[in-house]
Amino acid sequence: MEKIFARLSQISASLVFVVLVSTLVTLYISAKPAIEEFGAKFLIDARWGVDVPVETPSSSDQKPAQQASQSSAPDAHLDGGINVGDDGVNVDDDDGVNVGDDDGVISNSPTKEVFGGAVAIVGTVFSTIIALLFAVPLAMGIAIFLSEIAAPAISKPVGVAIELLAAIPSIIYGMWGLFYFGPFIASIFGGHSVSLLVAGLVLGVMVIPFMAALSRDAINTTPDVLKEAAYAVGATKFEVIKDVVFPYAKAGIIGSIIISLGRALGETMAVAFVIGGVFEFAKSVTDPTNSIPVVLANNFSESSGLSLASLFYLSLILFVVSFIVIFTAKHYFLRRGK
């Protein structure tokens, strides 16, 4: 029985690893056309779906060939699409170049569509930072109150209410943020009711229940004998919390912050309601912008070809960034906490 249980556990752990690797490979294969087209410039390019002229050889290189063609057949209609009429020069080749009429020169150069993820990447990072700056102090305060200060008659129902807040669907937070919280924040700080600040604060509200509940459970693991020993030597409640409870529960508290960070990085529906969804850098925190999950949710249904590959490129960036941030935080902070 023990061997079967050990074998099943090994299969389950291997399955998670296989899913992780297959997801990474699938994202890379789907994003490969965009990676080959834009390369690393995709990370710093703020344009999304913008038509730009295709780079062509310089006019000095083309001029000798044009002069040679005009001198050899000045009035002819050539296979390359060059027409010379009484009113001037009219060049109409396969690349769509038109030059010449009575009023001057008209150029209609071919274009290509350019995609860049800088706006979405910056929006994702800053909205997550705002969320954590807002959520961490409040969540730690709630956890300490429920575990060390409040009476059991209060801590139990309040703790259940905090856990129920974590079960509310994210779209509910988004609608609340769009119609009530966003206008309220705009009335205090100015700017728009949908903005980077509103998105960060709504994200913070969403992750507070997770962070508070997990931190409370971590704090509750502190042995009573340690706290009683500290009180016995004259320590105050603040000193016991600072010097005994927090050091003992440090690993669990940091783990709760890391889990909340992962949710904030990937949150989509609530942020889509309140961040604005525009491909522009926010000049201030009260301006609208965009984030990677919101770009993916809003554009996947109508994308194809290179635009679809660009969305997979963004997905790959979000996957790698989330993995690196969480992996680094877990191994750096938790190892330092030991």
Side-chain angles (χ1 to χ4, degrees), residues 12 35 55 66 98 122 251 262 264-265 321 323:
S12 300
I35 296 174
E55 294 183 0
Q66 293 178 358
N98 296 294
V122 172
L265 282 171
V321 169
F323 185 82

PDB file of all heavy atoms in Angstrom, residues 12 35 55 66 98 122 251 262 264-265 321 323:
ATOM      1  N   SER A  12       1.865  12.107  -9.720  1.00  0.00           N
ATOM      2  CA  SER A  12       1.204  13.407  -9.623  1.00  0.00           C
ATOM      3  C   SER A  12       2.211  14.541  -9.749  1.00  0.00           C
ATOM      4  O   SER A  12       1.980  15.523 -10.475  1.00  0.00           O
ATOM      5  CB  SER A  12       0.466  13.512  -8.288  1.00  0.00           C
ATOM      6  OG  SER A  12      -0.502  12.500  -8.170  1.00  0.00           O
ATOM      7  N   ILE A  35       8.413  36.290 -32.503  1.00  0.00           N
ATOM      8  CA  ILE A  35       9.787  36.376 -31.990  1.00  0.00           C
ATOM      9  C   ILE A  35      10.763  36.595 -33.139  1.00  0.00           C
ATOM     10  O   ILE A  35      11.678  37.416 -33.050  1.00  0.00           O
ATOM     11  CB  ILE A  35      10.138  35.103 -31.197  1.00  0.00           C
ATOM     12  CG1 ILE A  35       9.251  34.984 -29.949  1.00  0.00           C
ATOM     13  CG2 ILE A  35      11.607  35.106 -30.794  1.00  0.00           C
ATOM     14  CD1 ILE A  35       9.434  33.683 -29.191  1.00  0.00           C
ATOM     15  N   GLU A  55      10.896  49.427 -45.014  1.00  0.00           N
ATOM     16  CA  GLU A  55      12.170  50.017 -45.416  1.00  0.00           C
ATOM     17  C   GLU A  55      12.547  49.528 -46.799  1.00  0.00           C
ATOM     18  O   GLU A  55      12.541  48.334 -47.083  1.00  0.00           O
ATOM     19  CB  GLU A  55      13.260  49.641 -44.415  1.00  0.00           C
ATOM     20  CG  GLU A  55      13.040  50.233 -43.033  1.00  0.00           C
ATOM     21  CD  GLU A  55      14.193  49.887 -42.097  1.00  0.00           C
ATOM     22  OE1 GLU A  55      15.115  49.202 -42.583  1.00  0.00           O
ATOM     23  OE2 GLU A  55      14.151  50.305 -40.929  1.00  0.00           O
ATOM     24  N   GLN A  66      16.212  53.919 -62.665  1.00  0.00           N
ATOM     25  CA  GLN A  66      15.088  54.646 -63.243  1.00  0.00           C
ATOM     26  C   GLN A  66      15.523  55.470 -64.432  1.00  0.00           C
ATOM     27  O   GLN A  66      14.841  55.536 -65.462  1.00  0.00           O
ATOM     28  CB  GLN A  66      14.450  55.543 -62.185  1.00  0.00           C
ATOM     29  CG  GLN A  66      13.779  54.745 -61.072  1.00  0.00           C
ATOM     30  CD  GLN A  66      13.195  55.656 -60.011  1.00  0.00           C
ATOM     31  OE1 GLN A  66      13.337  56.874 -60.109  1.00  0.00           O
ATOM     32  NE2 GLN A  66      12.546  55.074 -59.037  1.00  0.00           N
ATOM     33  N   ASN A  98       3.435  55.340 -56.425  1.00  0.00           N
ATOM     34  CA  ASN A  98       2.902  56.274 -57.392  1.00  0.00           C
ATOM     35  C   ASN A  98       3.646  57.584 -57.251  1.00  0.00           C
ATOM     36  O   ASN A  98       3.702  58.171 -56.185  1.00  0.00           O
ATOM     37  CB  ASN A  98       1.401  56.518 -57.152  1.00  0.00           C
ATOM     38  CG  ASN A  98       0.606  55.250 -57.371  1.00  0.00           C
ATOM     39  OD1 ASN A  98       0.530  54.748 -58.478  1.00  0.00           O
ATOM     40  ND2 ASN A  98       0.046  54.714 -56.292  1.00  0.00           N
ATOM     41  N   VAL A 122       4.799  47.227 -18.750  1.00  0.00           N
ATOM     42  CA  VAL A 122       4.928  48.264 -17.721  1.00  0.00           C
ATOM     43  C   VAL A 122       3.637  48.378 -16.896  1.00  0.00           C
ATOM     44  O   VAL A 122       3.676  48.500 -15.663  1.00  0.00           O
ATOM     45  CB  VAL A 122       5.286  49.615 -18.372  1.00  0.00           C
ATOM     46  CG1 VAL A 122       5.236  50.736 -17.349  1.00  0.00           C
ATOM     47  CG2 VAL A 122       6.667  49.548 -19.002  1.00  0.00           C
ATOM     48  N   ALA A 251       8.238  32.601   7.406  1.00  0.00           N
ATOM     49  CA  ALA A 251       8.145  31.827   6.165  1.00  0.00           C
ATOM     50  C   ALA A 251       6.717  31.798   5.628  1.00  0.00           C
ATOM     51  O   ALA A 251       6.481  31.973   4.428  1.00  0.00           O
ATOM     52  CB  ALA A 251       8.660  30.412   6.404  1.00  0.00           C
ATOM     53  N   GLY A 262       1.520  36.323  -7.302  1.00  0.00           N
ATOM     54  CA  GLY A 262       1.204  35.549  -8.496  1.00  0.00           C
ATOM     55  C   GLY A 262      -0.198  35.812  -8.996  1.00  0.00           C
ATOM     56  O   GLY A 262      -0.426  35.934 -10.204  1.00  0.00           O
ATOM     57  N   ALA A 264      -1.945  38.603  -8.503  1.00  0.00           N
ATOM     58  CA  ALA A 264      -2.013  39.984  -9.000  1.00  0.00           C
ATOM     59  C   ALA A 264      -1.411  40.097 -10.397  1.00  0.00           C
ATOM     60  O   ALA A 264      -1.920  40.847 -11.240  1.00  0.00           O
ATOM     61  CB  ALA A 264      -1.284  40.916  -8.036  1.00  0.00           C
ATOM     62  N   LEU A 265      -0.338  39.352 -10.676  1.00  0.00           N
ATOM     63  CA  LEU A 265       0.287  39.414 -12.001  1.00  0.00           C
ATOM     64  C   LEU A 265      -0.641  38.890 -13.093  1.00  0.00           C
ATOM     65  O   LEU A 265      -0.631  39.409 -14.209  1.00  0.00           O
ATOM     66  CB  LEU A 265       1.582  38.597 -11.996  1.00  0.00           C
ATOM     67  CG  LEU A 265       2.817  39.238 -11.354  1.00  0.00           C
ATOM     68  CD1 LEU A 265       3.941  38.229 -11.248  1.00  0.00           C
ATOM     69  CD2 LEU A 265       3.269  40.451 -12.149  1.00  0.00           C
ATOM     70  N   VAL A 321       8.032  35.904 -16.705  1.00  0.00           N
ATOM     71  CA  VAL A 321       8.166  36.899 -15.638  1.00  0.00           C
ATOM     72  C   VAL A 321       7.570  36.371 -14.332  1.00  0.00           C
ATOM     73  O   VAL A 321       8.175  36.488 -13.260  1.00  0.00           O
ATOM     74  CB  VAL A 321       7.484  38.217 -16.051  1.00  0.00           C
ATOM     75  CG1 VAL A 321       7.382  39.166 -14.859  1.00  0.00           C
ATOM     76  CG2 VAL A 321       8.261  38.884 -17.174  1.00  0.00           C
ATOM     77  N   PHE A 323       7.117  33.257 -13.419  1.00  0.00           N
ATOM     78  CA  PHE A 323       7.937  32.156 -12.916  1.00  0.00           C
ATOM     79  C   PHE A 323       9.210  32.679 -12.256  1.00  0.00           C
ATOM     80  O   PHE A 323       9.570  32.241 -11.153  1.00  0.00           O
ATOM     81  CB  PHE A 323       8.291  31.219 -14.077  1.00  0.00           C
ATOM     82  CG  PHE A 323       9.033  29.994 -13.660  1.00  0.00           C
ATOM     83  CD1 PHE A 323       8.351  28.891 -13.161  1.00  0.00           C
ATOM     84  CD2 PHE A 323      10.411  29.932 -13.746  1.00  0.00           C
ATOM     85  CE1 PHE A 323       9.034  27.756 -12.770  1.00  0.00           C
ATOM     86  CE2 PHE A 323      11.106  28.801 -13.363  1.00  0.00           C
ATOM     87  CZ  PHE A 323      10.412  27.708 -12.871  1.00  0.00           C
TER      88      PHE A 323
END
